[in-house]
Amino acid sequence: MDCAKGPEGDELNSHHHFDHLGGLRACAAEGATILTQAAAKTYYEKIWAQPHTIFPDRMAKERKKAVIEAVTEKRVLTDGSRTLEVYKLAGTNHADTMLIGYLPKEKILIEADVYTPGAPDAPPPAQPLAENVNLYDQLQRLKLDVQQITPLHGRSVSIEDLRKAIGKSSAN
Ligand SMILES: [Zn+2]
């Protein structure tokens, strides 16, 4: 597989749930540095150290050791022209290991599972979802000027869609 390496050759792991883990060991075997939240680092180091004898993957076959770097609260990656800021998402019940990405130049937020936009003409949820509200609150706390949201599940939307989903109009 191809690894979506970041500007510094890193692979960013949003959180530790299985649907966001596929290929991580393959990337590590290719020599990518795995960037993950501090709590997930300990977890990966523990389970990846176990023998993989039934279906040994490349990491197991080549006896490679993963390079994993922990993001505690914030990390900034840059290639000189573009910048990706990585933050630990506080307050979420989805996963203690949740990281979000922010492209300050493009004003784009990248997130997984804490906001999955509905269909374009679907009404907002009758009761705002706690995870959506928390995401919005954390964006304010971190003072991120998000204009567009690119979720890892679903379609890209504007910040206005998130505001509507939690019952805030642009006047609020
Ligand atoms: Zn998840």
Side-chain angles (χ1 to χ4, degrees), residues 143-162:
K143 297 183 170 43
L144 303 183
D145 181 19
V146 173
Q147 296 300 312
Q148 191 187 325
I149 301 175
T150 297
L152 299 183
H153 299 286
R155 63 198 176 92
S156 284
V157 293
S158 84
I159 188 71
E160 204 50 40
D161 288 78
L162 173 58

Side-chain angles (χ1 to χ4, degrees), residues 23 62 74 78 148:
E62 297 178 13
K74 181 180 177 182
T78 183
Q148 191 187 325

Side-chain angles (χ1 to χ4, degrees), residues 69-92:
E69 282 182 22
V71 177
T72 307
E73 292 298 329
K74 181 180 177 182
R75 175 84 183 258
V76 179
L77 304 171
T78 183
D79 65 356
S81 63
R82 301 180 80 199
T83 301
L84 171 66
E85 299 175 2
V86 180
Y87 296 90
K88 180 185 193 304
L89 182 67
T92 174

Side-chain angles (χ1 to χ4, degrees), residues 13 15-24 43-44 94 113 153:
N13 169 233
H15 62 302
H16 72 276
H17 290 169
F18 75 96
D19 59 329
H20 297 277
L21 277 184
L24 213 54
Y43 173 60
Y44 296 153
H94 187 81
D113 297 354
H153 299 286

Side-chain angles (χ1 to χ4, degrees), residues 26-62:
C27 290
E30 279 189 20
T33 298
I34 307 297
L35 273 185
T36 195
Q37 210 282 319
K41 178 177 191 277
T42 318
Y43 173 60
Y44 296 153
E45 283 172 345
K46 188 177 168 198
I47 57 171
W48 288 5
Q50 307 297 314
H52 285 62
T53 51
I54 299 176
F55 295 109
D57 60 6
R58 197 172 145 200
M59 246 178 93
K61 282 184 198 152
E62 297 178 13

